[in-house]
């Protein structure tokens, strides 16, 4: 896409028809999720969020984009999903959470969430179809890294676990 100051997080749909990405091409200062045909035609804005969006992930069937955002009605990072064909976003979490990763079978989403009581970022695994509070969550063992390194370490652990069986969530 040539029409933006920033284009990030590119994803190709599982069927190879679409490119999904995050862009601030509208000049509002808030990045949004966009979809276009793989040949570059038919760009379509999928989100319109004042706080912007981060870390999009596609469902394995390519029908949904899961992402983190600060929505208009809330003042914390939450997970949302929006149909790749466009439509109304659905809020997935009610606690501060971000950096989603969808399991290979499309049934689960892993993420980090803030346990406000302890001030610790923890891991949660939630059902893909939920629309309720973050469930689960464990503190990664002996991790004292910077936030970026911590998130990358946690995500790699979760991806490794999903790659092993893809069927069930495990507390890490």
């Amino acid at each position: 896409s040539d029409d933006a100051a920033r284009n990030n997080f590119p994803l190709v749909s599982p069927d190879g028809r679409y490119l999904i990405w995050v862009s601030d091409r509208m000049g509002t200062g808030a990045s949004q999720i966009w979809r276009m045909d793989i040949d570059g035609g038919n760009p379509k804005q999928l989100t319109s969020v004042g706080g912007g969006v981060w870390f999009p992930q596609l469902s394995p069937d390519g029908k949904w984009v899961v992402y983190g955002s600060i929505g208009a009605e809330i003042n914390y990072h939450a997970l949302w999903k929006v149909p790749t064909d466009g439509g109304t976003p659905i809020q997935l979490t009610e606690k501060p959470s971000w950096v989603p990763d969808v399991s290979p079978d499309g049934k689960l989403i892993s993420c980090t969430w803030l346990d406000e009581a302890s001030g610790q970022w923890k891991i949660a695994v939630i059902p893909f179809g939920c629309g309720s509070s973050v469930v689960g969550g464990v503190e990664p063992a002996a991790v004292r890294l910077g936030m970026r390194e911590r998130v990358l370490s946690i995500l790699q652990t979760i991806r490794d676990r999903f790659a092993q069986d893809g069927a069930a969530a495990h507390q890490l």
Side-chain angles (χ1 to χ4, degrees), residues 1 3-4 18-37 41-53 65 67 82-89:
S1 172
D3 302 328
Y18 300 116
L19 178 68
I20 307 288
W21 80 102
V22 173
S23 178
D24 67 349
R25 69 190 306 152
M26 298 306 290
T28 64
S31 295
Q32 305 299 328
I33 295 176
W34 288 77
R35 183 202 78 200
M36 71 178 165
D37 296 341
N42 302 312
K44 180 176 185 172
Q45 186 174 344
L46 300 180
T47 60
S48 182
V49 181
V53 300
V65 182
Y67 60 96
V82 66
T84 54
D85 289 335
T88 303

Side-chain angles (χ1 to χ4, degrees), residues 11-20 33-36 46 57-66 81-86 102-106 128:
L11 304 166
V12 175
S13 64
D15 62 7
R17 291 179 49 211
Y18 300 116
L19 178 68
I20 307 288
I33 295 176
W34 288 77
R35 183 202 78 200
M36 71 178 165
L46 300 180
Q57 292 290 312
L58 277 166
S59 60
D61 63 9
K63 293 181 180 179
W64 295 93
V65 182
V66 178
K81 66 180 181 179
V82 66
T84 54
D85 289 335
V102 180
S103 66
D105 64 6
F128 187 87

